[in-house]
Protein backbone atom coordinates (compact mmCIF):
# COMPACT_ATOMS: atom_id res chain seq x y z
CA UNK A 1 0.00 0.00 0.00
CA UNK A 2 2.85 2.37 0.83
CA UNK A 3 4.49 1.79 -2.55
CA UNK A 4 1.19 2.34 -4.31
CA UNK A 5 0.76 5.63 -2.48
CA UNK A 6 4.21 6.81 -3.54
CA UNK A 7 3.51 5.95 -7.17
CA UNK A 8 0.15 7.68 -6.99
CA UNK A 9 1.81 10.80 -5.64
CA UNK A 10 4.35 10.75 -8.45
CA UNK A 11 1.61 10.34 -11.00
CA UNK A 12 -0.29 13.29 -9.57
CA UNK A 13 2.79 15.43 -10.20
CA UNK A 14 3.03 14.47 -13.86
CA UNK A 15 1.36 17.70 -14.89
CA UNK A 16 4.25 19.74 -13.49
CA UNK A 17 5.96 22.34 -15.67
CA UNK A 18 8.37 20.83 -18.20
CA UNK A 19 10.97 22.97 -19.92
CA UNK A 20 13.53 21.71 -22.42
CA UNK A 21 17.11 22.92 -22.64
CA UNK A 22 18.79 22.20 -25.94
CA UNK A 23 16.48 19.33 -26.80
CA UNK A 24 14.89 19.18 -30.25
CA UNK A 25 11.14 19.53 -30.37
CA UNK A 26 9.39 16.36 -29.26
CA UNK A 27 12.48 14.83 -27.64
CA UNK A 28 11.48 12.22 -25.06
CA UNK A 29 13.17 10.84 -21.97
CA UNK A 30 13.25 7.44 -23.66
CA UNK A 31 15.91 8.85 -25.96
CA UNK A 32 19.25 7.90 -24.34
CA UNK A 33 20.58 11.39 -25.11
CA UNK A 34 17.70 13.17 -23.38
CA UNK A 35 16.94 13.14 -19.67
CA UNK A 36 14.03 14.50 -17.63
CA UNK A 37 15.34 16.33 -14.58
CA UNK A 38 13.12 17.29 -11.66
CA UNK A 39 13.66 20.53 -9.74
CA UNK A 40 11.99 22.30 -6.83
CA UNK A 41 11.96 26.01 -7.65
CA UNK A 42 11.63 27.23 -4.05
CA UNK A 43 15.30 26.88 -3.12
CA UNK A 44 17.21 30.03 -4.11
CA UNK A 45 19.97 30.51 -5.16
CA UNK A 46 20.04 26.86 -6.29
CA UNK A 47 16.62 26.94 -7.97
CA UNK A 48 14.02 29.65 -8.36
CA UNK A 49 11.39 30.67 -10.87
CA UNK A 50 10.52 34.16 -12.09
CA UNK A 51 7.91 34.80 -14.77
CA UNK A 52 8.05 31.19 -15.88
CA UNK A 53 11.86 31.11 -16.14
CA UNK A 54 13.68 28.60 -13.94
CA UNK A 55 17.18 29.67 -12.94
CA UNK A 56 19.81 28.93 -10.31
CA UNK A 57 23.11 27.25 -9.52
CA UNK A 58 21.70 23.73 -9.87
CA UNK A 59 19.97 24.54 -13.15
CA UNK A 60 23.07 25.99 -14.79
CA UNK A 61 25.14 23.11 -13.43
CA UNK A 62 22.93 20.31 -14.77
CA UNK A 63 22.72 22.05 -18.15
CA UNK A 64 26.52 22.32 -18.27
CA UNK A 65 26.95 18.67 -17.25
CA UNK A 66 24.45 17.54 -19.88
CA UNK A 67 26.19 19.58 -22.56
CA UNK A 68 29.55 18.08 -21.62
CA UNK A 69 28.06 14.59 -22.03
CA UNK A 70 26.16 15.37 -25.26
CA UNK A 71 22.82 15.05 -23.49
CA UNK A 72 19.80 17.34 -23.48
CA UNK A 73 17.71 18.21 -20.44
CA UNK A 74 13.95 18.50 -20.09
CA UNK A 75 13.28 20.23 -16.79
CA UNK A 76 10.21 19.31 -14.76
CA UNK A 77 9.27 21.43 -11.74
CA UNK A 78 7.63 19.76 -8.75
CA UNK A 79 7.46 20.04 -4.95
CA UNK A 80 10.47 18.78 -3.00
CA UNK A 81 8.49 16.05 -1.26
CA UNK A 82 7.46 14.67 -4.66
CA UNK A 83 10.99 14.26 -6.00
CA UNK A 84 11.94 10.89 -4.48
CA UNK A 85 8.56 9.27 -5.32
CA UNK A 86 8.83 10.57 -8.90
CA UNK A 87 12.33 9.12 -9.24
CA UNK A 88 11.08 5.80 -7.87
CA UNK A 89 8.18 5.78 -10.32
CA UNK A 90 10.49 6.65 -13.22
CA UNK A 91 8.56 9.76 -14.24
CA UNK A 92 11.82 11.71 -13.95
CA UNK A 93 15.34 10.43 -14.55
CA UNK A 94 17.27 12.68 -12.19
CA UNK A 95 16.71 15.63 -9.87
CA UNK A 96 18.54 18.74 -8.68
CA UNK A 97 17.07 20.49 -5.66
CA UNK A 98 19.87 20.92 -3.14
CA UNK A 99 19.24 17.29 -2.17
CA UNK A 100 21.30 16.16 0.81
CA UNK A 101 22.94 12.78 0.29
CA UNK A 102 21.42 10.60 3.01
CA UNK A 103 21.62 6.87 3.70
CA UNK A 104 17.82 6.63 3.87
CA UNK A 105 17.46 8.26 0.45
CA UNK A 106 20.12 5.98 -1.03
CA UNK A 107 17.79 3.06 -0.42
CA UNK A 108 15.36 4.53 -2.95
CA UNK A 109 17.54 6.51 -5.39
CA UNK A 110 21.15 6.70 -6.53
CA UNK A 111 23.34 9.79 -6.21
CA UNK A 112 26.05 11.40 -8.29
CA UNK A 113 29.30 12.48 -6.72
CA UNK A 114 28.82 15.33 -4.24
CA UNK A 115 28.84 18.78 -5.83
CA UNK A 116 28.18 21.16 -2.90
CA UNK A 117 29.12 21.14 0.79
CA UNK A 118 26.45 22.65 2.98
CA UNK A 119 25.01 22.44 6.49
CA UNK A 120 22.06 23.62 8.55
CA UNK A 121 22.06 27.03 10.22
CA UNK A 122 19.72 29.04 12.42
CA UNK A 123 18.19 32.28 11.16
CA UNK A 124 16.49 34.66 13.62
CA UNK A 125 15.27 38.24 13.83
CA UNK A 126 17.87 40.67 15.15
CA UNK A 127 17.36 41.38 18.83
CA UNK A 128 15.58 38.07 19.46
CA UNK A 129 18.03 37.03 22.16
CA UNK A 130 18.47 33.62 20.51
CA UNK A 131 22.16 32.79 20.26
CA UNK A 132 22.14 29.13 19.30
CA UNK A 133 20.22 25.85 19.20
CA UNK A 134 20.04 25.50 22.98
CA UNK A 135 18.12 28.78 23.15
CA UNK A 136 15.34 27.51 20.87
CA UNK A 137 13.54 25.53 23.58
CA UNK A 138 10.01 26.92 23.87
CA UNK A 139 10.32 28.82 20.59
CA UNK A 140 8.57 28.06 17.29
CA UNK A 141 10.94 27.00 14.51
CA UNK A 142 9.89 27.14 10.87
CA UNK A 143 11.36 25.06 8.06
CA UNK A 144 10.51 23.26 4.84
CA UNK A 145 8.68 19.94 4.68
CA UNK A 146 10.52 16.67 4.02
CA UNK A 147 14.00 18.17 4.46
CA UNK A 148 16.98 17.32 6.64
CA UNK A 149 16.01 20.29 8.83
CA UNK A 150 12.92 18.39 9.98
CA UNK A 151 15.02 15.28 10.60
CA UNK A 152 17.48 17.29 12.69
CA UNK A 153 14.77 18.80 14.88
CA UNK A 154 13.07 15.43 15.34
CA UNK A 155 16.34 13.62 16.12
CA UNK A 156 17.12 16.24 18.76
CA UNK A 157 13.76 15.69 20.49
CA UNK A 158 12.34 19.04 19.46
CA UNK A 159 8.61 19.06 20.22
CA UNK A 160 6.45 18.78 17.11
CA UNK A 161 4.18 21.43 18.65
CA UNK A 162 6.99 23.93 18.06
CA UNK A 163 7.89 22.90 14.51
CA UNK A 164 6.09 24.66 11.65
CA UNK A 165 6.61 22.91 8.30
CA UNK A 166 5.90 24.70 5.04
CA UNK A 167 5.77 23.60 1.41
CA UNK A 168 8.28 26.33 0.49
CA UNK A 169 11.12 27.92 2.40
CA UNK A 170 9.75 31.33 1.37
CA UNK A 171 6.69 30.63 3.51
CA UNK A 172 8.93 29.73 6.45
CA UNK A 173 10.81 33.01 6.07
CA UNK A 174 7.49 34.86 5.89
CA UNK A 175 6.47 33.25 9.18
CA UNK A 176 9.70 34.52 10.74
CA UNK A 177 9.16 38.03 9.41
CA UNK A 178 5.55 38.27 10.58
CA UNK A 179 6.03 36.72 14.02
CA UNK A 180 4.55 33.32 13.22
CA UNK A 181 7.91 31.73 14.03
CA UNK A 182 10.89 32.68 16.16
CA UNK A 183 13.56 31.06 14.00
CA UNK A 184 14.17 29.22 10.75
CA UNK A 185 16.46 26.21 10.53
CA UNK A 186 17.48 25.45 6.97
CA UNK A 187 20.40 25.00 4.59
CA UNK A 188 23.01 27.64 5.32
CA UNK A 189 23.53 28.97 1.75
CA UNK A 190 19.79 29.61 1.43
CA UNK A 191 19.66 31.30 4.84
CA UNK A 192 22.66 33.43 3.85
CA UNK A 193 20.96 34.35 0.57
CA UNK A 194 17.88 35.52 2.49
CA UNK A 195 19.98 37.40 5.05
CA UNK A 196 21.80 39.39 2.38
CA UNK A 197 18.43 40.65 1.12
CA UNK A 198 16.87 41.42 4.53
CA UNK A 199 18.77 43.50 7.07
CA UNK A 200 16.47 42.61 9.98
CA UNK A 201 17.64 38.99 10.29
CA UNK A 202 20.86 37.21 11.22
CA UNK A 203 22.31 33.72 11.51
CA UNK A 204 23.39 32.60 14.97
CA UNK A 205 25.61 29.86 16.35
CA UNK A 206 27.76 27.37 14.43
CA UNK A 207 26.50 25.18 11.60
CA UNK A 208 24.38 22.39 13.07
CA UNK A 209 25.44 19.81 10.50
CA UNK A 210 27.85 19.17 7.68
CA UNK A 211 26.18 17.71 4.61
CA UNK A 212 26.68 17.34 0.89
CA UNK A 213 24.34 17.80 -2.06
CA UNK A 214 24.22 15.33 -4.91
CA UNK A 215 22.20 14.83 -8.09
CA UNK A 216 19.55 12.21 -7.29
CA UNK A 217 19.09 9.58 -10.00
CA UNK A 218 16.35 7.02 -10.58
CA UNK A 219 17.47 3.45 -9.97
CA UNK A 220 15.71 2.71 -13.26
CA UNK A 221 18.63 4.56 -14.98
CA UNK A 222 21.68 2.58 -13.80
CA UNK A 223 24.05 4.06 -16.41
CA UNK A 224 23.13 7.68 -15.81
CA UNK A 225 25.15 8.18 -12.62
CA UNK A 226 28.43 7.50 -14.43
CA UNK A 227 27.58 9.98 -17.19
CA UNK A 228 26.65 12.67 -14.68
CA UNK A 229 29.86 12.07 -12.74
CA UNK A 230 31.89 12.29 -15.95
CA UNK A 231 30.16 15.55 -16.86
CA UNK A 232 30.70 16.99 -13.39
CA UNK A 233 34.41 16.14 -13.59
CA UNK A 234 34.61 17.82 -16.99
CA UNK A 235 33.05 21.12 -15.88
CA UNK A 236 35.34 21.13 -12.85
CA UNK A 237 38.37 20.66 -15.09
CA UNK A 238 37.23 23.38 -17.50
CA UNK A 239 36.65 25.94 -14.74
CA UNK A 240 32.92 26.19 -15.53
CA UNK A 241 32.02 24.74 -12.12
CA UNK A 242 33.84 27.49 -10.22
CA UNK A 243 32.35 30.16 -12.49
CA UNK A 244 28.95 29.18 -11.10
CA UNK A 245 30.19 30.19 -7.64
CA UNK A 246 31.03 33.61 -9.05
CA UNK A 247 27.54 33.94 -10.49
CA UNK A 248 25.53 32.70 -7.52
CA UNK A 249 27.74 33.10 -4.43
CA UNK A 250 29.87 36.12 -5.23
CA UNK A 251 32.93 33.93 -5.62
CA UNK A 252 32.57 32.30 -2.18
CA UNK A 253 34.02 28.82 -2.71
CA UNK A 254 33.32 27.49 0.79
CA UNK A 255 30.74 25.10 -0.65
CA UNK A 256 32.88 23.90 -3.58
CA UNK A 257 33.76 20.22 -3.63
CA UNK A 258 37.25 19.43 -4.92
CA UNK A 259 37.87 16.21 -6.79
CA UNK A 260 35.51 13.24 -6.85
CA UNK A 261 33.64 12.77 -3.58
CA UNK A 262 31.57 9.59 -3.57
CA UNK A 263 28.11 9.63 -1.98
CA UNK A 264 28.91 6.60 0.17
CA UNK A 265 31.73 8.57 1.82
CA UNK A 266 29.62 11.58 2.83
CA UNK A 267 26.07 10.28 3.25
CA UNK A 268 24.28 11.56 6.33
CA UNK A 269 23.29 8.55 8.44
CA UNK A 270 19.71 8.69 9.64
Amino acid sequence: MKNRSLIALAASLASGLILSFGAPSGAMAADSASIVVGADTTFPPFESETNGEVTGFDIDMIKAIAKAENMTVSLKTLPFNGIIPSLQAGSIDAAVAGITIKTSRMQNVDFSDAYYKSGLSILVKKGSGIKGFDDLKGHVVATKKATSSVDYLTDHKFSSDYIKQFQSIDAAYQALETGGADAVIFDNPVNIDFKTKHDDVMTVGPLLTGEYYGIAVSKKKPDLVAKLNDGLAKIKASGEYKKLFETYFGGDLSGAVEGSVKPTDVAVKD
Side-chain angles (χ1 to χ4, degrees):
M1 180 65 73
K2 184 176 181 181
N3 288 338
R4 290 179 182 175
S5 297
L6 290 172
I7 293 172
L9 172 59
S12 70
L13 298 166
S15 60
L17 176 65
I18 298 180
L19 301 173
S20 294
F21 295 108
S25 178
M28 301 297 289
D31 181 351
S32 61
S34 179
I35 56 173
V36 176
V37 177
D40 169 23
T41 59
T42 63
F43 194 66
F46 292 89
E47 300 91 18
S48 60
E49 182 178 358
T50 304
N51 297 324
E53 181 181 5
V54 181
T55 59
F57 180 97
D58 282 353
I59 305 305
D60 285 357
M61 182 191 69
I62 195 66
K63 288 163 63 177
I65 289 172
K67 183 178 180 180
E69 290 298 299
N70 297 313
M71 296 187 295
T72 56
V73 171
S74 292
L75 186 66
K76 180 176 182 178
T77 62
L78 67 168
F80 188 84
N81 59 2
I83 285 176
I84 300 298
S86 294
L87 288 165
Q88 289 180 279
S91 58
I92 58 176
D93 302 314
V96 287
I99 305 171
T100 299
I101 300 171
K102 298 170 64 174
T103 53
S104 58
R105 290 172 177 162
M106 291 174 69
Q107 296 174 17
N108 300 309
V109 300
D110 293 325
F111 278 98
S112 70
D113 290 345
Y115 68 82
Y116 191 89
K117 184 177 181 179
S118 182
L120 300 178
S121 65
I122 304 169
L123 186 76
V124 299
K125 295 290 288 290
K126 289 181 177 178
S128 69
I130 297 171
K131 298 179 180 179
F133 188 78
D134 291 342
D135 295 329
L136 291 177
K137 185 177 181 181
H139 291 279
V140 175
V141 176
T143 190
K144 185 176 177 179
K145 290 181 179 179
T147 63
S148 55
S149 306
V150 179
D151 297 334
Y152 185 88
L153 288 164
T154 302
D155 291 345
H156 286 77
K157 312 303 181 184
F158 207 87
S159 172
S160 59
D161 293 338
Y162 290 90
I163 304 173
K164 281 191 175 182
Q165 300 183 49
F166 295 91
Q167 192 68 44
S168 74
I169 191 60
D170 289 340
Y173 289 141
Q174 181 67 18
L176 176 64
E177 292 281 35
T178 58
D182 303 306
V184 170
I185 290 183
F186 202 58
D187 298 56
N188 187 55
V190 184
N191 278 346
I192 294 297
D193 182 65
F194 186 84
K195 182 180 73 170
T196 60
K197 300 171 182 175
H198 301 79
D199 60 9
D200 61 335
V201 298
M202 60 188 290
T203 54
V204 295
L207 290 182
L208 302 177
T209 63
E211 54 194 69
Y212 288 79
Y213 298 161
I215 304 167
V217 182
S218 172
K219 287 185 179 291
K220 297 177 184 291
K221 296 286 183 176
D223 299 328
L224 183 54
V225 171
K227 290 182 71 65
L228 294 174
N229 286 341
D230 286 346
L232 179 58
K234 287 175 182 176
I235 67 170
K236 285 183 176 182
S238 69
E240 194 167 1
Y241 171 74
K242 286 189 175 179
K243 286 182 181 178
L244 295 177
F245 285 82
E246 291 284 350
T247 301
Y248 292 101
F249 301 107
D252 181 353
L253 294 173
S254 60
V257 179
E258 301 291 343
S260 174
V261 177
K262 298 303 176 186
T264 50
D265 293 333
V266 297
V268 174
K269 296 178 174 59
D270 55 356

